[in-house]
Amino acid sequence: MSVPVFIELCAGTAALSLRLARARAKPPVSRMGAKTGYADAILSRMGLQPGQGAERYIWAEPEAGPRLLLECYRNAELAHAAAEVVRGWADEQPRALWDRLCAQACAPLDITAEAVAGFVVREGWSNGGRYMGPDRPSKCHGAGWTASITLRGLCNRLEALPSVCARLCITALAVKPARLPAGSWVYIDPPYVGTTKYAHDDLPRAEVVRLARAWHAAGVHVAVSEAVPLAELVAHGWHAHELTHERVGARRTFSKQQREWLTLTRAPRGQLSWF
């Protein structure tokens, strides 16, 4: 049985929704803090299954770049067109291409194949390539610079994207708590306290707690990711579960965010709660 409504606040690449829509599906690029490696574990604790699907998805993501990628999740033609644009850059020297795309990133972003392609290459190379941007010049070796994620690999990942759901709402604004059908979920993945902040926002802990409580008061199941249990919610009967050792894929070796906790309105399914 599909979930009536699944909402991701601070959606980013919406890794959780993507896995809920299609088992083993994952975003074409990774972002710092993304939940791709924890997606199955988080869904399991929520009592959901990869591939179970939702009747409607709602994603709130204020940053323009990720919203371009999210549009590909409901528009396969856009994803394929973006892959074709990336293929057209195959003969360009990587460093020159990187510099050109970074210069264009400051311009207003329309929902076009060219804009999607530019974001995917910048994001793919900045997170998985050897050159991490102008603040890390030692990673760049002039004309000999190459990225560890190839353009061909990015094309393949774009074209492998499923169309998640026709009933999809993508917004730059926070979604106000509202009554939703029974069995609906809200997942909040804010910037973690004491770790790298999101480029677009600094969501303080007090606001995260307020949002979580407001959605719960509206009758919706809520789950919040953080590097620690949210004691403010646990004190009022919420449940916390550590997922640190359930990550799938490469371990976090560079991030301050070494631990992973999920705080939920109900006890984690299939596991004993720590609290």
Side-chain angles (χ1 to χ4, degrees), residues 55-126:
E55 295 176 14
R56 185 183 182 196
Y57 299 86
I58 300 176
W59 301 334
E61 173 51 54
E63 191 175 346
R67 290 206 311 275
L68 288 170
L69 182 60
L70 298 180
E71 288 289 345
C72 290
Y73 293 0
R74 64 177 173 185
N75 188 338
E77 291 184 1
L78 178 63
H80 282 284
E84 286 300 314
V85 173
V86 174
R87 286 193 181 93
W89 295 336
D91 294 332
E92 294 195 40
Q93 196 275 328
R95 172 61 189 271
L97 175 60
W98 170 268
D99 290 340
R100 178 167 63 82
L101 293 178
C102 286
Q104 294 173 351
C106 298
L109 296 177
D110 296 322
I111 302 175
T112 64
E114 290 74 16
V116 172
F119 171 75
V120 169
V121 172
R122 288 194 306 273
E123 198 70 20
W125 282 0
S126 66

Side-chain angles (χ1 to χ4, degrees), residues 107-162:
L109 296 177
D110 296 322
I111 302 175
T112 64
E114 290 74 16
V116 172
F119 171 75
V120 169
V121 172
R122 288 194 306 273
E123 198 70 20
W125 282 0
S126 66
N127 282 283
R130 295 173 185 165
Y131 180 47
M132 302 294 286
D135 59 331
R136 299 283 293 279
S138 62
K139 294 289 185 178
C140 180
H141 304 288
W145 175 79
T146 57
S148 59
I149 295 180
T150 65
L151 294 183
R152 178 181 297 178
L154 289 173
C155 287
N156 293 338
R157 294 182 184 189
L158 271 173
E159 293 182 321
L161 281 176

Side-chain angles (χ1 to χ4, degrees), residues 212-226:
R213 286 174 172 166
W215 275 106
H216 184 40
V220 181
H221 298 306
V222 182
V224 186
S225 283
E226 242 292 7

Side-chain angles (χ1 to χ4, degrees), residues 4-8 16-17 20 46 48 54 56-58 185 187:
V5 182
F6 192 83
I7 298 176
E8 281 201 58
L16 222 62
S17 293
L20 180 65
M46 295 165 73
L48 307 177
R56 185 183 182 196
Y57 299 86
I58 300 176
W185 274 94
Y187 173 65

